[in-house]
């Protein structure tokens, strides 16, 4: 054999052994997993025939992928499953609907590897072709020039064959071909596709020049990495945090350049601004950003472009670099994590940052890892695990959404319920106030923490007669006519000088004789017994009833020119006031005619809403409003893009008009773009958007006319945050449905998983190439969280 042929054969053997390390799976009993130190893959070693039959306990590669808010996974038969955020169609199911439980991607044959960015996804088919779907604004789907439309259905990337691996960055895509060349397309603002730095995207795949003998690729954000057959690592694209490993410059560069002082690498993982590399001796090396200790060292501003070994970590066989955190899979099947932990990414039950690797509890016999803003891990028995934030259903546990009403526990005597931006308050018959959901601003009282999934009493609060939840602050009214406030105070909405937060309830000074209080957005309102309205906090849209300005107004002041008021409602940007004569007055933001008059930016002076009389209650959403009249009819006006006005159209209207066919109504609630009402018989009806299943548990996206919400009877009142609805039953119980992004459902099942939780696939996951690893348990998971 010629020298050239011999060199080529050695390179192919290197690629083969590397591929085995990156894609193989040990077999036999789980207790027999061993990982002897891997030898350096020298030319002599390659010629050693004893290596050819060696078993490598390396993790599966390409069977899992994590985008920032969605997840992909391959089953053993090549079926692709997807779940999480789907606003750009990145789940590949032909829709743009979020999925909290896994669904099959459509239009794909047998798949052997997947990759996910925040907004698009790639699949490598078993025939070596590449398929793409999701966002295509900068050509990341590899379609013809000029076609920048998103595509929710997988489509083949033209001109690519014999591909063996795929990778994606934020808005660019890559393919590794069998001949060791790398092909790329998409955004090239920082040279991340290997072409000269420029603003023009690359809509069709082109070869990255000057790069051969590549055996693995990785990408994240706006940079790209390649592992060559000789164990060297090469990088190009953005380098703001030193993620390309260059010590001399942090400028972007489109030319692949070797990462210095690193040899013997067998695997790579690219995090948002840091990189992990695995050497053949089982050690892990890291470079780039370390602001959260993701390099395994104490946080510092030192970007450390040069690779450094992660201390106290050996016998590693797999890596996953996430957004500010790192994961390592050891040969014994355990997973180790370090770095940022603000959303419980480290899976240790806390949100404390860790700067040295620590084992993730509860995980055994793991054979595959993936990470972005959330981690995924696959056990050899076919169980898929996920942990961290589940706001978009990216963990696949279904807990971020309740499509049907569930009962809030520990509440049997609820008197009133108020839903804020992401928290809920309820007043019980004994005058105590209870809350659940987001508490990052202390809006649930008793100190700021992340969230509460179960109702807990607001402490240090005297007996109340009413409550109101705002975007991130809370108000309570006492029988003596005083108002108490707590939570966020950035705009003085607590009635005291602006500050960050104050989680301890305290009386709002200067207010007496109050009969109603309303927390709304970044401002607050109070109604006195004499019919006057008082307001304080933010006033950017004139919601305080005086000329709009951006100065905080922490001192309650009377809204001028308004008397005889008996009820108040506010979206935060505008206010509705109901007078004793049944007329409605409005002021504040009027971008969509929500004040009941032709659209203008702001109208800070209270003005009567024309055409409305006999009104008994009001509800204000962001850009539209509802009014309930004494005769049981509902009137609506403002934005109507989702049919939230219930008139059978999607045409905006600034003049109030009755909702056709709706009578006998006793209560109303306007959400973000969903309208709900309670009728005299205790049933709930809705119209408008069905996001978060607020109207029904079906897949229907909206309803232009009222439809009944099934499964609910005996309801006496409604409250909504815009993404979650709460219903008070006549027996004093509270029921909730919709989004549980920050635990505002209150049923005790958190939307965030502090430790690994099992993804609820429709059958036992089997992304293992041999039947002896499949679980012997039941195939189907329970249908409830």
């Amino acid at each position: 054999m010629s020298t050239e042929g011999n060199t080529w054969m050695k390179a192919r053997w290197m690629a083969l052994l590397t591929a085995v390390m990156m894609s193989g799976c040990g077999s036999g009993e789980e207790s027999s997993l061993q990982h002897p130190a891997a030898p350096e893959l020298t030319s002599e070693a390659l010629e050693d025939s004893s290596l050819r039959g060696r078993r490598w306990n390396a993790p599966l590669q390409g069977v899992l992928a994590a985008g920032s808010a969605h997840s992909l996974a391959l089953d053993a038969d090549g079926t692709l499953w997807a779940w999480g955020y789907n606003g750009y169609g990145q789940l590949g199911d032909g829709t743009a609907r979020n999925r909290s439980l896994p669904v099959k991607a459509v239009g794909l044959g047998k798949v052997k590897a997947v990759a996910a960015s925040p907004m698009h996804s790639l699949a490598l088919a078993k025939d070596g072709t590449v398929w793409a779907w999701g966002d295509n604004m900068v050509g990341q789907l590899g379609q013809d020039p000029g076609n920048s439309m998103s595509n929710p259905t997988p489509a083949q990337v033209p001109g690519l064959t014999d591909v063996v691996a795929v990778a994606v960055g934020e808005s660019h895509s890559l393919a590794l071909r069998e001949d060791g060349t790398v092909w790329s397309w998409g955004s090239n603002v920082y040279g991340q596709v290997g072409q000269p730095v420029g603003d023009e995207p690359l809509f069709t795949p082109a070869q990255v020049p000057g790069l051969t003998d590549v055996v693995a690729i990785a990408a994240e954000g706006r940079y790209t990495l390649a592992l060559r057959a000789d164990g060297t690592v090469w990088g190009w694209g953005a380098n703001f945090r030193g993620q390309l490993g260059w010590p001399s410059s942090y400028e972007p560069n489109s030319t692949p350049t070797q990462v210095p002082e690193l040899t013997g690498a067998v695997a790579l993982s690219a995090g948002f601004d840091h990189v992990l590399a695995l050497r053949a001796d089982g050690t892990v090396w890291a470079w780039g950003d370390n602001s959260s200790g993701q390099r395994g060292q104490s946080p510092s501003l030192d970007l450390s472009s040069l690779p450094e070994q992660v201390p106290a970590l050996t016998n590693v066989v797999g890596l996953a670099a996430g957004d500010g955190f790192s994961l390592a899979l050891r040969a014994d099947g355990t997973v180790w994590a370090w770095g940022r932990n603000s959303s419980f990414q480290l899976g240790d039950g806390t949100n404390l940052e860790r700067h040295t690797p620590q084992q993730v509890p509860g995980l055994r016999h793991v054979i595959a890892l993936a990470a972005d803003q959330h981690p995924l891990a696959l056990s050899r028995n076919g169980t898929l695990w996920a942990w961290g934030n589940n706001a978009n259903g990216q963990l696949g546990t279904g807990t971020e959404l309740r499509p049907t009403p569930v009962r809030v526990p520990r509440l049997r005597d609820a008197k009133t319920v108020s839903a804020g931006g992401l928290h809920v308050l309820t007043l019980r018959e004994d005058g105590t106030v209870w809350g659940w959901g987001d508490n990052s601003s202390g809006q649930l009282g008793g100190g700021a923490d992340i969230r509460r999934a179960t109702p807990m009493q607001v402490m240090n609060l005297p007996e109340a007669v009413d409550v109101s939840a705002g975007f991130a602050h809370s108000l309570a009214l006492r029988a003596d006519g005083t108002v108490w406030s707590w939570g966020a105070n950035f705009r003085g909405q607590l009635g005291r000088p602006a500050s960050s937060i104050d989680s301890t309830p305290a009386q709002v000074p200067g207010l007496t004789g109050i009969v109603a209080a309303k927390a709304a957005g970044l401002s607050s309102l109070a109604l006195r017994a004499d019919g006057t309205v008082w307001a304080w906090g933010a006033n950017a849209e004139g919601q305080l009833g005086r000329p709009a300005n951006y100065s905080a107004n922490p001192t309650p002041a009377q809204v001028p020119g308004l008397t005889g008021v008996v009820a108040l409602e506010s979206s935060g940007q505008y206010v509705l006031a109901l007078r004793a004569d049944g007329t409605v007055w409005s002021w504040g933001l009027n971008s969509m005619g929500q004040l009941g008059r032709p659209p203008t930016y702001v109208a800070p002076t209270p003005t009567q809403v024309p055409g409305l009389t006999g009104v008994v209650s009001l509800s204000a959403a962001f850009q539209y409003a509802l009014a309930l009249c004494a005769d049981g009819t509902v009137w609506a006006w403002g934005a109507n893009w989702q049919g939230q006005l219930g008139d059978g159209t999607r045409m905006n209207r600034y003049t109030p008009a009755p909702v056709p066919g709706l009578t006998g109504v006793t209560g109303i609630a306007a959400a973000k773009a969903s309208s709900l009402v309670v009728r005299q018989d205790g049933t709930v009806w809705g119209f408008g958007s069905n996001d978060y299943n607020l109207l029904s548990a079906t897949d229907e996206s909206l309803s232009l006319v009222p439809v009944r919400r099934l499964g609910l009877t005996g309801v006496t009142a409604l409250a909504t945050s815009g993404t979650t609805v709460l219903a008070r039953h006549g027996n004093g119980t509270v029921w909730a449905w919709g989004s549980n992004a920050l635990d505002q459902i209150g049923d005790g099942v958190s939307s965030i998983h502090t430790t690994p939780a099992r993804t609820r696939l429709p059958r036992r996951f089997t992304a293992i190439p041999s039947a002896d690893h499949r679980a012997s348990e039941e195939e189907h998971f329970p249908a409830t969280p």
Side-chain angles (χ1 to χ4, degrees), residues 647-688:
D647 61 0
T649 76
R650 299 176 71 172
M651 297 178 61
N652 299 339
R653 187 182 65 244
Y654 60 82
T655 302
V659 178
L662 199 57
T663 58
V665 175
T666 59
I668 54 177
K672 182 178 180 181
S674 309
S675 302
L676 295 111
V677 305
V678 182
R679 301 184 74 174
Q680 288 175 340
D681 59 3
T683 59
V684 175
W685 295 67
F687 42 96

Side-chain angles (χ1 to χ4, degrees), residues 164-539:
V164 295
V166 291
V168 294
E170 180 180 69
S171 298
H172 71 292
S173 306
L174 300 122
L176 172 63
R177 299 186 67 177
E178 190 175 12
D179 61 3
T181 60
V182 177
W183 296 66
S184 60
W185 61 99
S187 175
N188 192 45
V189 175
Y190 299 94
Q192 60 264 51
V193 298
Q195 304 298 325
V197 175
D199 294 333
E200 291 299 320
L202 192 63
F203 278 85
T204 55
Q207 184 177 345
V208 177
L211 199 60
T212 58
D213 294 325
V214 175
V215 295
I217 52 177
E220 182 57 79
R222 300 161 184 176
Y223 71 101
T224 310
L225 300 168
L227 173 65
R228 297 186 67 183
D230 59 4
T232 59
V233 177
W234 298 65
W236 61 99
N239 192 40
F240 303 116
R241 307 298 292 176
Q243 58 267 50
L244 300 186
W246 303 341
S248 58
S249 172
Y250 297 105
E251 294 297 320
N253 196 315
S254 61
T255 302
T257 304
Q258 183 177 346
V259 175
E261 302 185 17
L262 182 68
T263 58
V266 294
L268 292 172
S269 186
F272 188 73
D273 279 323
H274 78 291
V275 182
L276 302 177
L278 174 64
R279 295 188 65 188
D281 60 4
T283 60
V284 178
W285 295 69
W287 61 95
D289 184 35
N290 193 44
S291 57
S292 297
Q294 59 264 53
R295 293 203 316 259
Q297 302 171 18
S298 295
S300 69
L301 297 177
D302 173 24
L303 303 180
S304 187
S305 301
L306 293 176
E308 296 177 325
Q309 184 175 349
V310 176
L313 197 60
T314 58
N315 293 326
V316 174
V317 295
L319 300 169
D323 185 357
F325 69 100
S326 303
L327 302 175
L329 172 62
R330 299 186 70 180
D332 60 3
T334 59
V335 176
W336 295 66
W338 63 100
R340 183 178 301 153
N341 198 26
S342 55
S343 295
F344 304 94
Q345 302 96 312
L346 304 188
D348 61 358
T350 77
N351 62 345
L352 300 177
E353 203 168 80
R354 306 287 185 186
H355 309 144
T356 57
Q358 295 193 23
Q359 186 175 346
V360 178
L363 288 179
R364 301 174 59 217
H365 313 306
V366 172
I367 59 171
L369 285 177
D372 190 281
Q373 292 188 13
H374 65 285
L376 300 172
L378 176 65
S379 295
R380 64 184 297 181
N381 70 351
T383 304
L384 184 60
W385 302 87
W387 59 100
N389 189 4
N390 196 35
N392 291 285
Q394 59 264 48
L395 304 189
T397 58
T399 58
E400 111 305 344
L401 184 70
R402 302 290 187 276
T404 57
V406 296
R407 181 176 169 180
V408 178
R410 301 174 61 185
L411 289 177
R412 298 179 181 274
D413 54 358
K415 187 176 180 180
T416 62
V417 179
S418 179
L422 292 168
H423 76 292
V424 180
L425 298 176
T426 186
L427 173 68
R428 300 181 69 171
E429 293 289 351
D430 61 3
T432 59
V433 176
W434 295 64
W436 62 93
D438 182 36
N439 194 38
S440 56
S441 295
Q443 59 265 55
L444 300 182
D449 51 34
I450 291 180
R451 59 191 65 181
R452 299 176 188 173
T454 305
M456 297 182 66
Q457 185 178 349
V458 178
M459 305 306 293
N460 303 310
L461 182 65
E463 184 177 341
V465 295
D466 200 7
V467 291
S468 181
F471 178 73
H473 76 291
S474 304
L475 300 179
L477 174 65
R478 293 191 64 198
D480 62 4
T482 59
V483 177
W484 294 61
S485 61
W486 63 98
N489 193 38
F490 302 104
R491 306 296 292 172
Q493 59 264 48
L494 299 188
R496 37 196 179 271
S499 60
S500 55
I501 62 175
D502 189 343
S503 62
T504 302
Q507 183 178 343
V508 177
L511 281 180
T512 57
I514 303 301
V515 294
K518 179 68 177 179
L522 301 178
S523 60
S524 301
L525 299 162
L527 173 62
R528 295 188 68 175
D530 62 4
T532 59
V533 177
W534 297 67
W536 62 98
N539 193 41

